[in-house]
Amino acid sequence: MGVADLGLPVDVPSTALFTDHYELTMLQAALRSGTAGRRSVFEVFTRRLPDGRRYGVVGGTGRVLDAVENFRFDADVLRFLRERRVVDEPTLEWLAGYRFGGDIWGYPEGEVYFPGSPIMRVEGSFGECVLLETVILSILNHDSAIAAAASRMSSAAQGRPLIEMGARRTHELAAVAASRAAYLGGFTSTSDLAAGFRYNIPTVGTSAHAFTLLHDSERDAFQAQVDSLGRDTTLLVDTYDVAEAVRTAVEIAGPELGSVRIDSGDLLLVAHRVRQQLDELGARDTRIIVTSDLDEYAIASLAAAPVDAYGVGTQLVTGSGHPTASMVYKLVARAESGDAGAALVPVAKKSTGGKTSVGGRKWAARRLDAYGVAEAEVVGTGPVPDALAGRQLLVELVKGGEVVAREPLDAARERHAAARANLPLSATQLSRGEPVLPTEYVHRGSGS
């Protein structure tokens, strides 16, 4: 069994309680009124991107599929609901046999999205679909926010490796999901061993300042590390005096020293000085790794510096200022009645304050210009125009309750790199701006 088959990275009886109380009370009322079985279509989308962002990144789809498979109301969960009187006995009996048996379509993981993109579409009875709202949103909102930040950082890094090292700056389980999303967005490795175990992401790490401080001298610390880990290790050189540390590091490891890490100070200035010193000492192949509260802007500012790799923590796992993708899960169509063949009718919330939605079961396609570069995100209901039939974005993820599109994380990572490369060049600009593609709506029938 491979790591992709291990299931959830957290020991819980099921994902059924990763939900809000009102999902179950809505179910109870719908069961009583006879509407819980009505065929329904829910869609995940965001009304806007975070300020200044040019595109979003779909992250967490694989984790959503795991969560849907594990959404089960076992005896302990049902006992909890009964003791708390969350729902009545008929509802508990319904929940005891719950298995999602509907269909899920969505943008494949790693794809980019824009305001109004139907990122995921969940179809089935109202009862089975409404229960999945919270767990789907919690995964997609978190992972997409991290993946978008990672994508911006990897673009700013211009091909230099990026190390995810934010486990200490977030919840221990969120750290694993963040590592996964960062790898999807272009990072090359993680310091988090749980993420390496669960998702087969390369892991790296050598020593912290505590290891240097433990020893009677910096020389003793470096010697101990080289003796244990070999000359290709990474020595942390900013505990005391950087120049003296670099000199000592090369004396001990020789020109075969793998890397030095700088974790403080004026990184641009220090990196240039360290590179010059390493070259003068004959360690021309020794790499320079910089860390210290980096974000995409700091990485971009170091583009001209002799830096070989970046380590990013806090800003990455908090979405670089935008810890959520602000996605919502809305009912957009439902059957006219409970009859199996009843037609779907579009439904939509109409309110002030920017919280309106567009009704109807939607498709999405990306239109290209004459040069093969994306020029618009087209979202519509009804038949797909012939010109866009080959450019549709949604793929089938779950059919009749069975997952049909599970894939390796590397496939999603490669997809993201290709999708980002297909956007206009302005997509990777860090200056504030509007989404790089406009969203166009096409309505051709009811969308049933």
Side-chain angles (χ1 to χ4, degrees), residues 69-126:
E69 282 191 330
N70 286 276
F71 205 91
R72 304 283 188 269
F73 292 84
D74 60 22
D76 290 338
V77 171
L78 292 170
R79 185 180 304 110
F80 166 79
L81 296 175
R82 180 176 290 109
E83 290 173 351
R84 296 294 181 94
R85 298 183 179 180
V86 175
V87 290
D88 59 19
E89 283 299 323
T91 305
L92 290 171
E93 292 177 9
W94 190 93
L95 292 173
Y98 179 87
R99 298 290 186 275
F100 179 73
D103 302 328
I104 299 178
W105 290 70
Y107 280 39
E109 192 161 20
E111 183 59 83
V112 297
Y113 69 86
F114 300 91
S117 297
I119 296 161
M120 185 169 286
R121 190 175 72 220
V122 182
E123 304 184 36
S125 69
F126 176 84

Side-chain angles (χ1 to χ4, degrees), residues 113-319:
Y113 69 86
F114 300 91
S117 297
I119 296 161
M120 185 169 286
R121 190 175 72 220
V122 182
E123 304 184 36
S125 69
F126 176 84
E128 64 183 335
C129 294
V130 73
L131 296 183
L132 299 178
E133 174 181 4
T134 302
V135 70
I136 287 177
L137 286 180
S138 65
I139 293 171
L140 292 181
N141 268 315
H142 174 270
D143 289 24
S144 296
I146 307 303
S151 178
R152 284 163 60 86
M153 292 175 189
S154 66
S155 177
Q158 298 180 5
R160 296 171 179 174
L162 289 158
I163 307 163
E164 184 281 312
M165 46 196 303
R168 305 178 203 183
R169 301 294 186 260
T170 189
H171 186 280
E172 67 272 19
L173 299 179
V176 181
S179 294
R180 182 185 184 279
Y183 187 70
L184 165 67
F187 275 59
T188 52
S189 58
T190 179
S191 66
D192 191 278
L193 289 175
F197 173 76
R198 172 67 183 90
Y199 296 116
N200 202 29
I201 301 169
T203 61
V204 296
T206 50
S207 68
H209 293 102
F211 185 78
T212 300
L213 296 170
L214 168 69
H215 291 80
D216 295 334
S217 69
E218 193 169 50
R219 178 177 291 275
D220 289 345
F222 288 175
Q223 188 67 63
Q225 185 173 327
V226 170
D227 288 346
S228 175
L229 301 177
R231 296 176 185 273
D232 194 43
T233 191
T234 299
L235 296 177
L236 181 59
V237 295
D238 74 327
T239 305
Y240 304 118
D241 180 84
V242 173
E244 181 61 30
V246 171
R247 186 177 303 110
T248 302
V250 177
E251 286 177 3
I252 291 173
E256 297 84 11
L257 174 62
S259 306
V260 295
R261 178 162 74 94
I262 307 166
D263 189 50
S264 59
D266 184 334
L267 297 179
L268 179 62
L269 176 63
V270 175
H272 278 287
R273 288 178 175 174
V274 168
R275 181 73 271 160
Q276 180 179 353
Q277 186 180 10
L278 287 170
D279 291 347
E280 290 173 350
L281 293 171
R284 295 183 177 277
D285 294 329
T286 299
R287 300 175 297 275
I288 297 176
I289 301 171
V290 297
T291 55
S292 183
D293 291 327
L294 299 178
D295 60 11
E296 59 265 49
Y297 302 101
I299 292 170
S301 73
L302 292 166
V307 173
D308 297 285
Y310 306 92
V312 189
T314 303
Q315 291 300 319
L316 175 65
V317 300
T318 56

Side-chain angles (χ1 to χ4, degrees), residues 369-380:
D369 65 15
Y371 299 96
V373 177
E375 67 175 7
E377 193 87 338
V378 185
V379 177

